[in-house]
Structures are given as structure tokens and as C-alpha cells.
């Protein structure tokens, strides 16, 4: 079948999805959409990666488009103003590069380099303007993307975003220690940590500038809204674990729901894949139910005042994009070169990363 009805490439392609990863309900009931800014988005994010020196020029040229980072965000934050989507997408591309640096620091046993980066990211998050010209391109690129995100909504949103991302940095530190020490966390501990390393609440926070307004606590903490947001993110994290399991087993990773199930629940590899798949399917089924409740809640926010109507529209936009996340994540995992492990020369070393071992500078 066509991977994307409105293809992001010049020719439609057929994607062969293994049965263990195929989700017919996503293909049938979660139609994929794409922000009309996508072609320009791809071009500008590629240029930003080069300008900020986040990837070597040869790797940007060979791999950036095929990694589909822009496709993922353009399929998620529909309705966002172009400049908001650009800032989110550059930040997302940065996040993937950061994840790769973290992985290489683990693989090459560079604890001092990781500790230094962790400290610098915390500092840049609190004062991005002072880190725009930092010697480490990863820190400078982070400062640039955060400063741009901070420009769209009030200080209260910025503080929430910062609070959530400080937690993400610390979760990456716990993952670093687990991986370097060979600790495979039990299932419940892993699930709690995964919500942070996948940055569940960051991607949810970013729905708000896309919708054009900060949502009040009473809306964000409403059970139906919060549950719908969590399910969309859990689906993404667990489907990612399902798709990346071969890559992470090849790289001796310890952070994957399947690996935790095998180690602590005594499941075989086949049973673990089936269990992760069951959880993924459960997210989809429950989301459809909770989505209806959340939409009724959104309708009730329209109290006849201009502000009530605007808030109701914004909440419905956020809920629509939670739904878009399912299809965008699904197709991303089958189109992005990030998961084509079988085509790599070394299954434990992604070809798009800078794999130099001299990290303790």
C-alpha cells in the first residue's frame, strides 16, 4: 500500500510492514495528514542542522531527509503557524541528535563527557540566551531552539516546559547509569522512566503553541484530556520499543519494554513482542473511547463568551493532534532510516551518527 497518500517524496512508495508491526486500525481509522508547510520545513531544518553543526555536512546530505524527522512533526502539529512548527521541528531534530550523543557516550564509556553535557543542558534550559554561542554545538543548538519556543506563549508555559525538560535530562542520566552498569529496570520502573526519556509531557506541552494559546490547569489536568494525552504518548513510546527492539538488542541496550519483560517477567522474545504489541493495541482502543469524553469536555468549555469559544477550539485542536500522533508515529517508524537496522554495515552503529570515540575533551 502507499506509505503516504500525499507522499512527502516525489513518487509514492510501498512500505512492506512486518506482520508483528502492522497495525491495520491505524491505517484504516487514523488517516495520515501533513502540514502544508512540510516542503519548506524539510529544507529549513536541514539548513539549521548544518548551521548549528549538529550533524556533519556529509551526513546531513546523505541521511537527513531519509531520517524523516520533519515528516514526524509535520504529521503531528497540524494547524500550527509555520514559525511554530519550524521551531518545534528544529527542536525535535536536536532531540534526536542529543539522543544519539547520549547513546554514543554510553557505547564509548564517556561518563565525564555525559556529566558535563548534562550540566550544560540544565544551565542552557534556564538561560538559553547566554548559551547561544556555546563551544559545544549541541548546547548552542539546544539554546537556540528553546529560546525560539519560549517566544510563543507566556512565562508560565515556559516555566512548565523547563520544569518538564529538567526531568527529561535527569531521566537520561538514570538511563546512562543503567546502561553503563548493565541494569535492566523492572517493568513498572521502566514504564515510569520511559515516560520521561520519551518526553511525554514535552510533546504534549507543545500542542499548546500549535493551538495558539496556553491551556489552564483545569483543562490540562481534566481526567479525559490528560488520559488522551498520555495514551497518545504511551502508544508512541511502546510502538517505538517494538520497532527498535532489534536495534537495541544488537547494541546491548537495556532500556526497552521488551527487554524488561524478558528479563523480569520470564517471557521469551516472541512472548515479549506479543505483550508489547498487546499494550500498543490497548492504547489505540482506549484512546478512541477517551477521545469522545475529551471532545464532550471541550464542547462544554464554550460558554457563549469569546474566551470560552476560543478555549474550546484550542482544546479540540490539541485533541485532534493527539489523534494525528498515532498515524505520524506509525508511518515514521517504517519510513525513517533510523530503524532500518538490517541495512546497516554494523547493526549496533547507526550510519547517521558521528561515532568518534574521542569524547573526553
Amino acid at each position: 500500500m502507499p506509505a503516504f497518500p500525499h507522499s512527502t517524496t516525489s513518487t509514492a512508495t510501498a512500505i512492506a510492514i512486518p506482520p508483528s508491526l502492522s497495525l491495520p486500525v491505524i491505517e484504516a481509522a487514523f488517516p495520515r495528514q501533513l502540514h502544508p508547510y512540510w516542503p519548506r520545513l524539510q529544507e529549513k531544518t536541514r539548513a539549521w542542522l548544518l548551521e548549528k553543526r549538529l550533524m556533519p555536512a556529509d551526513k546531513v546530505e546523505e541521511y537527513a531527509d531519509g531520517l524523516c524527522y520533519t515528516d514526524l512533526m509535520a504529521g503531528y502539529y497540524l494547524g500550527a503557524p509555520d514559525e511554530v512548527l519550524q521551531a518545534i521541528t528544529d527542536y525535535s531534530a536536536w532531540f534526536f541528535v542529543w539522543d544519539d550523543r547520549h547513546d554514543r557516550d554510553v557505547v564509548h564509556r564517556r561518563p565525564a563527557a555525559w556529566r558535563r553535557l548534562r550540566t550544560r543542558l540544565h544551565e542552557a534550559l534556564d538561560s538559553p540566551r547566554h548559551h547561544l554561542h556555546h563551544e559545544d554545538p549541541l548546547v548552542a543548538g539546544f539554546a537556540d531552539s528553546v529560546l525560539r519556543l519560549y517566544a510563543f506563549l507566556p512565562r508560565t508555559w515556559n516555566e512548565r516546559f523547563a520544569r518538564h525538560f529538567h526531568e527529561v535530562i535527569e531521566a537520561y542520566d538514570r538511563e546512562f547509569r543503567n546502561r553503563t552498569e548493565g541494569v535492566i529496570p523492572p517493568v513498572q520502573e521502566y514504564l515510569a522512566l520511559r515516560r520521561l526519556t520519551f518526553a511525554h509531557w514535552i510533546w504534549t506541552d507543545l500542542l499548546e503553541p500549535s493551538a495558539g494559546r496556553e491551556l489552564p490547569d483545569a483543562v490540562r489536568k481534566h481526567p479525559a484530556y490528560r488520559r488522551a494525552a498520555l495514551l497518545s504518548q504511551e502508544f508512541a513510546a511502546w510502538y517505538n520499543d517494538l520497532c527498535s527492539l532489534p536495534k537495541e538488542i544488537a547494541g546491548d541496550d537495556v532500556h526497552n519494554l521488551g527487554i524488561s519483560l524478558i528479563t523480569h517477567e520470564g517471557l521469551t522474545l516472541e512472548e515479549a513482542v506479543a505483550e508489547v504489541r498487546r499494550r500498543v493495541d490497548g492504547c489505540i482502543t482506549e484512546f478512541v473511547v477517551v477521545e469522545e469524553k475529551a471532545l464532550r469536555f471541550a464542547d462544554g468549555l464554550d460558554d457563549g463568551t469569546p474566551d470560552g469559544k476560543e478555549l474550546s477550539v484550542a482544546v479540540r485542536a490539541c485533541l485532534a493532534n493527539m489523534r494525528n500522533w498515532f498515524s505520524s508515529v506509525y508511518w515514521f517508524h517504517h519510513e525513517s532510516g533510523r530503524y532500518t537496522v538490517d541495512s546497516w554495515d554494523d547493526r549496533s552503529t547507526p550510519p547517521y551518527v558521528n561515532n568518534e570515540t574521542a569524547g573526553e575533551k
Side-chain angles (χ1 to χ4, degrees):
M1 65 171 294
F4 192 37
H6 312 289
S7 181
T8 60
T9 59
S10 57
T11 57
T13 57
I15 300 293
I17 301 176
S20 62
L21 302 178
S22 175
L23 298 175
V25 66
I26 295 294
E27 298 174 21
F30 289 74
R32 190 178 184 187
Q33 303 179 71
L34 189 71
H35 197 291
Y37 182 65
W38 175 80
R40 183 73 172 136
L41 183 72
Q42 185 179 58
E43 176 187 327
K44 292 191 73 171
T45 295
R46 193 189 315 119
W48 186 78
L49 288 167
L50 283 171
E51 176 194 345
K52 299 301 176 184
R53 297 180 293 121
L54 289 168
M55 290 175 68
D58 60 332
K59 293 191 182 295
V60 170
E61 176 67 26
E62 187 170 358
Y63 297 109
D65 289 354
L67 289 169
C68 299
Y69 298 158
T70 56
D71 303 50
L72 178 63
M73 294 295 111
Y76 183 17
Y77 295 103
L78 270 73
D82 293 354
E83 65 273 18
V84 172
L85 182 61
Q86 187 67 63
I88 290 174
T89 302
D90 290 350
Y91 165 76
S92 171
W94 173 88
F95 201 115
F96 280 112
V97 175
W98 175 49
D99 186 72
D100 293 335
R101 169 86 74 88
H102 176 267
D103 179 68
R104 294 299 93 185
D105 280 348
V106 170
V107 168
H108 295 305
R109 296 296 192 267
R110 304 191 296 226
W114 165 249
R115 284 194 301 269
R116 186 161 50 247
L117 178 59
R118 169 195 172 201
T119 298
R120 288 169 173 174
L121 292 178
H122 277 304
E123 293 170 348
L125 185 57
D126 289 332
S127 56
R129 198 173 301 279
H130 296 122
H131 291 77
L132 289 172
H133 305 289
H134 196 279
E135 61 182 340
D136 185 337
L138 201 65
V139 176
F142 179 59
D144 178 81
S145 60
V146 166
L147 193 63
R148 289 158 62 199
L149 292 173
Y150 281 179
F152 300 121
L153 291 179
R155 176 181 53 82
T156 47
W157 184 92
N158 296 348
E159 290 173 348
R160 173 166 32 109
F161 179 93
R163 184 171 66 252
H164 285 160
F165 201 77
H166 281 304
E167 293 174 348
V168 171
I169 296 168
E170 287 306 293
Y172 263 71
D173 185 56
R174 292 200 294 279
E175 179 177 330
F176 184 91
R177 284 183 274 118
N178 284 346
R179 290 182 62 189
T180 54
E181 296 169 11
V183 175
I184 299 174
V187 172
Q188 291 307 312
E189 180 183 322
Y190 171 78
L191 293 176
L193 184 57
R194 184 65 165 135
R195 287 172 185 152
L196 295 171
T197 58
F198 198 83
H200 281 23
W201 302 118
I202 290 293
W203 306 117
T204 302
D205 288 338
L206 289 168
L207 292 168
E208 294 170 54
S210 299
R213 67 171 290 167
E214 181 179 21
L215 300 182
D217 284 355
V219 170
R220 292 187 298 103
K221 296 180 180 179
H222 185 275
Y225 182 90
R226 190 168 179 83
R227 186 63 182 166
L230 180 62
L231 286 166
S232 74
Q233 295 298 320
E234 297 280 54
F235 164 82
W238 299 346
Y239 192 68
N240 176 269
D241 279 5
L242 194 62
C243 293
S244 61
L245 187 57
K247 167 183 159 184
E248 290 174 351
I249 288 176
D252 292 324
D253 203 339
V254 299
H255 267 243
N256 185 291
L257 178 55
I259 294 171
S260 286
L261 288 164
I262 291 167
T263 304
H264 295 286
E265 305 293 332
L267 274 59
T268 64
L269 175 60
E270 292 76 14
E271 290 169 340
V273 167
E275 174 59 17
V276 177
R277 169 66 184 258
R278 185 189 68 78
R279 291 174 184 245
V280 166
D281 288 339
C283 286
I284 303 168
T285 302
E286 187 182 351
F287 177 83
V288 173
V289 174
V290 173
E291 179 186 35
E292 285 300 316
K293 297 177 182 177
L295 288 169
R296 287 197 297 272
F297 166 65
D299 288 343
L301 294 170
D302 186 352
D303 57 5
T305 66
D307 186 66
K309 180 176 179 60
E310 181 185 286
L311 180 59
S312 175
V313 169
V315 172
R316 290 187 71 92
C318 291
L319 291 168
N321 280 337
M322 290 177 198
R323 167 173 275 272
N324 288 333
W325 192 224
F326 285 84
S327 58
S328 194
V329 162
Y330 179 70
W331 290 112
F332 169 70
H333 280 85
H334 300 296
E335 295 171 351
S336 173
R338 199 170 176 85
Y339 304 100
T340 54
V341 180
D342 291 337
S343 69
W344 301 351
D345 292 337
D346 177 354
R347 288 170 60 88
S348 66
T349 304
Y352 49 82
V353 301
N354 183 350
N355 193 44
E356 65 179 19
T357 57
E360 301 274 17
K361 296 177 182 176

